[in-house]
């Protein structure tokens, strides 16, 4: 069965420090991979996605993620965190067929940013 | 360009009642997915509608049903409400071309927060 694991429930990072959020997935084949962010009182917003090709993908707000097939991982990184990055981050996997496209989300990692 | 809109934003029901939540997709989108997000958890996939049919379904009981209208808007219905149905219900829209190909990107509304007492 498909699953997404985000091992860290919450992470605290100092402003200006680097960030890495972990994500591991279980899937029969290489799925589409996504990172979404949810700020308080707002809907989820796509940060970046990976379908194929270059395993390092760039997203919005200075985020990037690297797909590692051998580790079934898709970790999110940012070189320098800003206070406005404090939010909940969700890793997701998806796959389509003629019957539709189903996206499964992890439990999320809450990011706290300290001054 | 209007994004995904959901109504109502908040509602309170009692156990055993029924609820209907509504969603209008982003302009140009033809597919609507519904998710349940309990407090402190990730969104759980309920089902997806395309061409007015349920195309994919998650692990939710038959108490959860839906509908998609010709204008692509959608409703989520939950019957016989339980305390455990209290959650944020998220609607997400996307596009599915012929053959089910999709960019995979979901556009989310802000959700409907349901409290069951």
């Amino acid at each position: 069965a498909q699953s997404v694991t985000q091992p860290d429930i919450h992470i605290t990072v100092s402003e200006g420090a680097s960030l890495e959020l972990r994500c591991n997935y279980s899937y029969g084949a290489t799925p589409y991979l996504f990172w979404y962010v949810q700020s308080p009182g707002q809907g989820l917003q796509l940060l970046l996605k990976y379908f194929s090709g270059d395993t390092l993908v760039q997203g919005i707000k200075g985020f990037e993620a690297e797909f590692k097939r051998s580790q079934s991982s898709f970790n999110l990184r940012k070189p320098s965190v800003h206070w406005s990055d404090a939010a909940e981050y969700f890793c997701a996997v998806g796959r389509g067929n003629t019957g539709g496209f189903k996206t499964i989300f992890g439990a999320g990692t809450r990011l706290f940013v300290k001054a | 360009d209007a994004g995904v809109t959901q109504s109502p934003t908040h509602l309170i029901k009692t156990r055993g009642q029924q609820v209907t939540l509504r969603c209008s997709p982003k302009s140009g989108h033809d597919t609507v997915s519904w998710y349940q997000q309990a407090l402190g958890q990730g969104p759980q996939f309920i089902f997806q509608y395309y061409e007015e049919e349920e195309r994919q379904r998650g692990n939710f009981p038959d108490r959860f049903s839906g509908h998609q209208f010709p204008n692509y808007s959608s409703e989520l219905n939950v019957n016989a409400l339980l305390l455990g149905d209290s959650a944020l219900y998220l609607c997400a829209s996307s596009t599915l071309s012929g053959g089910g190909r999709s960019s995979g990107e979901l556009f989310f509304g802000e959700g409907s927060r349901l409290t069951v007492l």
Side-chain angles (χ1 to χ4, degrees):
Chain A
Q2 334 158 358
S3 66
V4 181
T5 302
Q6 295 181 247
D8 304 304
I9 297 173
H10 55 81
I11 283 181
T12 300
V13 175
S14 296
E15 191 169 17
S18 64
L19 169 71
E20 182 169 24
L21 302 183
R22 297 182 291 163
C23 173
N24 292 95
Y25 67 91
S26 173
Y27 213 93
T30 300
Y32 292 7
L33 297 162
F34 308 87
W35 276 98
Y36 285 83
V37 60
Q38 186 177 35
S39 299
Q42 297 186 22
L44 283 84
Q45 179 185 22
L46 180 70
L47 285 176
L48 47 79
K49 59 186 178 185
Y50 171 78
F51 291 167
S52 63
D54 191 348
T55 57
L56 184 64
V57 294
Q58 303 297 320
I60 63 172
K61 304 184 181 184
F63 285 92
E64 66 178 27
E66 185 173 13
F67 168 59
K68 293 185 177 179
R69 184 189 305 274
S70 62
Q71 299 176 19
S72 295
S73 69
F74 188 57
N75 293 350
L76 181 71
R77 300 195 293 249
K78 186 170 185 178
S80 177
V81 169
H82 187 262
W83 64 266
S84 61
D85 293 325
E88 186 97 27
Y89 291 81
F90 294 96
C91 181
V93 300
R95 194 72 181 176
N97 53 43
T98 54
F101 193 101
K102 183 177 179 179
T103 305
I104 303 298
F105 287 80
T109 298
R110 180 164 293 279
L111 173 64
F112 297 95
V113 180
K114 59 182 181 181
Chain B
D1 178 23
V4 179
T5 58
Q6 294 187 243
S7 63
T9 55
H10 296 83
L11 68 167
I12 299 174
K13 293 286 187 178
T14 57
R15 282 177 296 174
Q17 285 190 312
Q18 178 264 346
V19 67
T20 298
L21 308 178
R22 297 174 177 82
C23 172
S24 292
K26 179 179 169 65
S27 177
H29 285 184
D30 55 15
T31 303
V32 172
S33 301
W34 286 94
Y35 288 83
Q36 179 196 66
Q37 187 177 23
L39 202 60
Q41 297 184 24
Q44 300 293 312
F45 178 75
I46 302 175
F47 42 53
Q48 182 181 74
Y49 276 84
Y50 171 64
E51 292 185 329
E52 302 180 46
E53 291 184 5
E54 183 183 291
R55 297 301 185 118
Q56 299 266 1
R57 190 177 182 93
N59 190 27
F60 278 81
D62 292 344
R63 297 187 297 110
F64 290 76
S65 63
H67 189 77
Q68 186 179 34
F69 300 94
N71 67 352
Y72 309 120
S73 67
S74 177
E75 289 181 349
L76 164 65
N77 301 292
V78 187
N79 295 322
L81 284 167
L82 304 173
L83 296 179
D85 295 331
S86 295
L88 180 67
Y89 288 85
L90 295 167
C91 171
S93 72
S94 57
T95 59
L96 270 178
S97 62
R101 282 196 293 274
S102 167
S103 72
E105 180 175 359
L106 297 172
F107 289 78
F108 283 86
E110 294 187 17
S112 295
R113 183 162 297 282
L114 170 66
T115 301
V116 182
L117 301 178

